[in-house]
Amino acid sequence: MDKFIFSVPTTIFFGEGQARAFAEAVKSYGEKALIVFGGGSVKKNGIYDEITTALHAAGVKTVDHGGIEPNPRVESVRAGIDLVKKEGVDVIVPMGGGSTIDAAKLIAAGALTAADPWKIVIGEAKVTGALPICTVLTLAATGSEMDQGSVITNPETKEKLGWGSPKVLPKASLLNPAYTVSVNGYHTAAGTADIMSHTMENYFTVDDSAFVQDSMAEGVLRACIHAGPAALKDGGDLEARANLMWASSWAINGLLRKGKPQAWSVHPMEHELSAFYDITHGVGLAILTPRWLRHVLSAKTAPKIARFGRRVFDIKSEDDVDAANEAIEALYDFFVRMGIPMTLKEVGIGEEHLAEMAKACANHAGGVIRGFVDLHEEDILAIYKASL
Amino acid sequence: MDKFIFSVPTTIFFGEGQARAFAEAVKSYGEKALIVFGGGSVKKNGIYDEITTALHAAGVKTVDHGGIEPNPRVESVRAGIDLVKKEGVDVIVPMGGGSTIDAAKLIAAGALTAADPWKIVIGEAKVTGALPICTVLTLAATGSEMDQGSVITNPETKEKLGWGSPKVLPKASLLNPAYTVSVNGYHTAAGTADIMSHTMENYFTVDDSAFVQDSMAEGVLRACIHAGPAALKDGGDLEARANLMWASSWAINGLLRKGKPQAWSVHPMEHELSAFYDITHGVGLAILTPRWLRHVLSAKTAPKIARFGRRVFDIKSEDDVDAANEAIEALYDFFVRMGIPMTLKEVGIGEEHLAEMAKACANHAGGVIRGFVDLHEEDILAIYKASL
């Protein structure tokens, strides 16, 4: 196991009836909150009212900043920063899924520097500080409620890039599974795929000495496979919603990653798809992951893929290559059962930009994706083509 | 899943070469540290020198308080509090296993109140605050390095009782697996049993809706079963030591417990054994656990015990009662393979005080242990007798 520092001080308020306690936590960080949200579903389903009522009762004033896009754009962040400065906001309260929280993180950091926020994303400006962030989660998927990362899209440069800082780790997050019952089947499936992808990106590494992390990762994956179909069958199944929600936080908050080499492969490939085509992130991950595993399967990688199959999908084959092949099929079939369109064509992506995206992907990774298996531009292109 | 608040802000410095970073963290909490340790093994194996050198280099002065007992006694805590007050200490640095850290927690809380520290343990005095605690772990077992709990023995009243407060959660903990290579086989086995017991106490509850927690618990147990024998075979196996160490923290820091009913059963029964006889805690847990599971096995509990067997020990039986019985045998056999004496007689406990201990145990639990299955005084006595 490699050496590491683990520090995740986010306070999680989990379950129903925690809005008041959450509001008191927000109050401890400031008197005026920027409420960041997306297309307005939180206003329709009552979450906005419930939270703002609790915040006002706790003595926190609120300023609205709605309209954050599903792949959050840097323009929306700039507008948020302007509002923070104009209104004298001192705490950021995103109310939504990963997109809204990711935008809130860049607003929080961008508000404390004169640099343009895109410069933070591309690493040309430093994160000197950040306003405190307290999130209200409405979609179990990205884990942004308990991690330091954020992904922002710049339509002008056709770039969708990740950045992060310990300074933007949320101080508090309200995780009420009841807030996710109105998420439709498509986004429930995409969210489940996203949680599983984070877990698998952490799991599939060349060094297997972090047995605690990997065994706990298998547990998170089993929970997704247990709860995902249940939530799809009955959107109001609070037990399934609760398990997906708590899985989303642990998939990516550092526990499953720390002590291991960093080897994320599928996310960089997917980011090009949603930068070029604005598709749903989790769907892109679900399409690419089985093709990626098939591409990297070899005598060397088979034991880990076989272990994954045995632990997560109860694959019985004793031969590692057989078990690995069955595991990849089982994963593909699971995504099909979740109703995810499993080809790029079904989400409107043809051959036309594949080469351009593969090149951009390799470039963003510094030439080669150093993952479970190194992926060069031609590997990335082959995986895209196999996903058509 | 029940509602809960999860907040574990301890910063973990994991692995080799982190002493300097840890010392800087200590420095951020104070200028004068009380070094709390046990029988002096940390002075023989170089850990004391390495840490105090790093602390002095960081500008932290140190005061020694050694001699903490394996089941830490309240007198040693009182002496520590006197030293803190006399020397003007402002941060507590325990260097050892759970006993040392547990004593440090009561010193940290006791130093900020005029009440006798035993009154904190028995709930007659409030924890009004605590000096910051930064731990150096030398034994993977109790998880005290990342939790809010502490267990203290009072020889005068023959009581060994747990208490806890968020105020005594360590601010930072240094987890260097190399610091545990000199732990002998007996204590390695006992520590592994302790980690597994914490995990099982959290796992076996009447409500199974917290699937994420339970699946991750199965992962922690698999890691113990993987790493325990490896560390026993070769004490210098750093990979095994690292996995046991990281498992110890996650078994009990709240992740596996929160969102579920509280149902600890074996710890209260074991505490009487070590209060009356001063035996090694983990050994007492290993002896009692299979007998407890056998005692509570019924058509109602069989599915969960069977799930445990299938996930952790790869039990194949499809019938739940068969699988549960095989799981209990597999657990017993695992402890035997770890070299743990598996009867009370082998650790010097005869029939003479069993009834008295069963009575005391029920009393301390308020009459009945409300666990996976409720345990009355006669159940506790039956489990003790089955363990002879």
Side-chain angles (χ1 to χ4, degrees), chain B residues 124-287:
Chain B
E124 287 184 8
K126 247 186 108 171
V127 178
T128 51
L131 292 174
I133 300 163
C134 298
T135 86
V136 177
L137 188 64
T138 64
L139 179 71
T142 73
S144 196
E145 67 277 7
M146 205 181 183
D147 86 353
Q148 310 179 356
S150 161
V151 180
I152 302 292
T153 295
N154 187 339
E156 286 167 34
T157 62
K158 282 199 178 175
E159 285 177 302
K160 177 178 173 175
L161 296 174
W163 67 285
S165 163
K167 295 193 167 70
V168 296
L169 182 76
K171 301 293 186 193
S173 286
L174 177 61
L175 273 59
N176 184 348
Y179 287 177
T180 65
V181 298
S182 62
V183 175
N184 66 27
Y186 185 76
H187 283 104
T188 299
T192 304
D194 197 16
I195 299 167
M196 291 174 68
S197 178
H198 296 153
T199 310
M200 290 186 283
E201 299 268 33
N202 289 325
Y203 183 79
F204 289 113
T205 54
V206 288
D207 172 2
D208 288 333
S209 65
F211 202 92
V212 173
Q213 291 89 321
D214 285 350
S215 292
M216 292 178 93
E218 290 158 2
V220 171
L221 289 168
R222 287 195 75 89
C224 291
I225 285 167
H226 172 83
L232 205 65
K233 192 176 161 206
D234 173 10
D237 182 335
L238 279 176
E239 180 184 323
R241 294 295 191 184
N243 279 293
L244 288 177
M245 199 167 218
W246 203 208
S248 83
S249 304
W250 289 94
I252 198 175
N253 71 4
L255 172 62
L256 306 183
R257 186 183 75 243
K258 298 269 180 164
K260 307 186 62 179
Q262 303 293 300
W264 286 40
S265 298
V266 181
H267 272 68
M269 291 191 284
E270 197 290 321
H271 280 175
E272 300 306 325
L273 301 186
S274 40
F276 276 70
Y277 290 94
D278 212 12
I279 67 168
T280 300
H281 177 55
V283 169
L285 295 168
I287 294 170

Side-chain angles (χ1 to χ4, degrees), chain A residues 47-115:
Chain A
I47 297 171
Y48 175 92
D49 285 343
E50 183 165 316
I51 299 299
T52 51
T53 301
L55 287 171
H56 298 159
V60 178
K61 292 189 190 74
T62 59
V63 180
D64 281 3
H65 180 53
I68 303 296
E69 306 80 8
N71 284 309
R73 298 177 176 205
V74 68
E75 310 93 273
S76 307
V77 170
R78 291 187 187 113
I81 292 169
D82 290 345
L83 207 50
V84 164
K85 290 179 175 170
K86 187 181 142 209
E87 298 278 351
V89 161
D90 41 23
V91 53
I92 312 290
V93 179
M95 208 176 276
S99 305
T100 300
I101 299 173
D102 284 5
K105 286 176 176 173
L106 191 53
I107 293 171
L112 297 190
T113 168

Side-chain angles (χ1 to χ4, degrees), chain A residues 23-173:
Chain A
E24 291 297 336
V26 174
K27 178 73 196 299
S28 74
Y29 292 107
E31 309 240 308
K32 197 167 194 181
L34 185 75
I35 309 294
V36 182
F37 55 97
S41 62
V42 291
K43 291 213 166 177
K44 286 177 215 125
N45 58 26
I47 297 171
Y48 175 92
D49 285 343
E50 183 165 316
I51 299 299
T52 51
T53 301
L55 287 171
H56 298 159
V60 178
K61 292 189 190 74
T62 59
V63 180
D64 281 3
H65 180 53
I68 303 296
E69 306 80 8
N71 284 309
R73 298 177 176 205
V74 68
E75 310 93 273
S76 307
V77 170
R78 291 187 187 113
I81 292 169
D82 290 345
L83 207 50
V84 164
K85 290 179 175 170
K86 187 181 142 209
E87 298 278 351
V89 161
D90 41 23
V91 53
I92 312 290
V93 179
M95 208 176 276
S99 305
T100 300
I101 299 173
D102 284 5
K105 286 176 176 173
L106 191 53
I107 293 171
L112 297 190
T113 168
D116 181 76
W118 186 248
K119 294 215 162 169
I120 290 177
V121 176
I122 58 176
E124 287 184 9
K126 248 186 107 171
V127 177
T128 51
L131 292 175
I133 301 163
C134 298
T135 85
V136 178
L137 188 64
T138 65
L139 179 71
T142 73
S144 196
E145 67 277 8
M146 204 182 183
D147 86 353
Q148 311 179 355
S150 160
V151 180
I152 302 292
T153 295
N154 187 339
E156 287 167 33
T157 61
K158 281 199 178 176
E159 284 178 304
K160 175 178 174 174
L161 295 173
W163 68 284
S165 163
K167 295 192 168 69
V168 297
L169 182 77
K171 301 294 185 192
S173 285

Side-chain angles (χ1 to χ4, degrees), chain A residues 1 3-7 11-12 14 16 18 209 211-212 215 219 222-223 226 243 250 255 311 314, chain B residues 1 3-7 11-12 14 16 18 209 211-212 215 219 222-223 226 239 243 250 255 311 314:
Chain A
M1 208 183 292
K3 73 176 190 172
F4 61 85
I5 295 173
F6 180 87
S7 176
T11 298
I12 300 289
F14 196 99
E16 294 205 69
Q18 303 258 34
S209 65
F211 202 91
V212 173
S215 292
R222 286 195 75 89
H226 172 83
N243 279 293
W250 289 94
L255 172 62
R311 294 276 154 249
D314 295 324
Chain B
M1 208 184 292
K3 73 176 190 172
F4 61 85
I5 294 173
F6 180 88
S7 176
T11 298
I12 301 289
F14 197 98
E16 293 204 69
Q18 302 258 34
S209 65
F211 202 92
V212 173
S215 292
R222 287 195 75 89
H226 172 83
E239 180 184 323
N243 279 293
W250 289 94
L255 172 62
R311 295 276 153 249
D314 295 325

Side-chain angles (χ1 to χ4, degrees), chain B residues 35-103:
Chain B
I35 309 294
V36 182
F37 54 98
S41 63
V42 292
K43 290 214 166 177
K44 287 178 213 123
N45 59 25
I47 297 171
Y48 174 92
D49 285 343
E50 184 166 316
I51 299 299
T52 51
T53 301
L55 287 171
H56 297 157
V60 178
K61 293 189 189 76
T62 59
V63 179
D64 281 2
H65 180 52
I68 304 296
E69 305 80 7
N71 283 309
R73 298 177 177 206
V74 69
E75 311 94 272
S76 307
V77 170
R78 291 188 188 115
I81 292 169
D82 290 345
L83 207 50
V84 164
K85 290 180 175 170
K86 186 182 142 208
E87 297 279 350
V89 161
D90 40 24
V91 53
I92 313 290
V93 179
M95 209 177 274
S99 306
T100 301
I101 299 173
D102 283 5

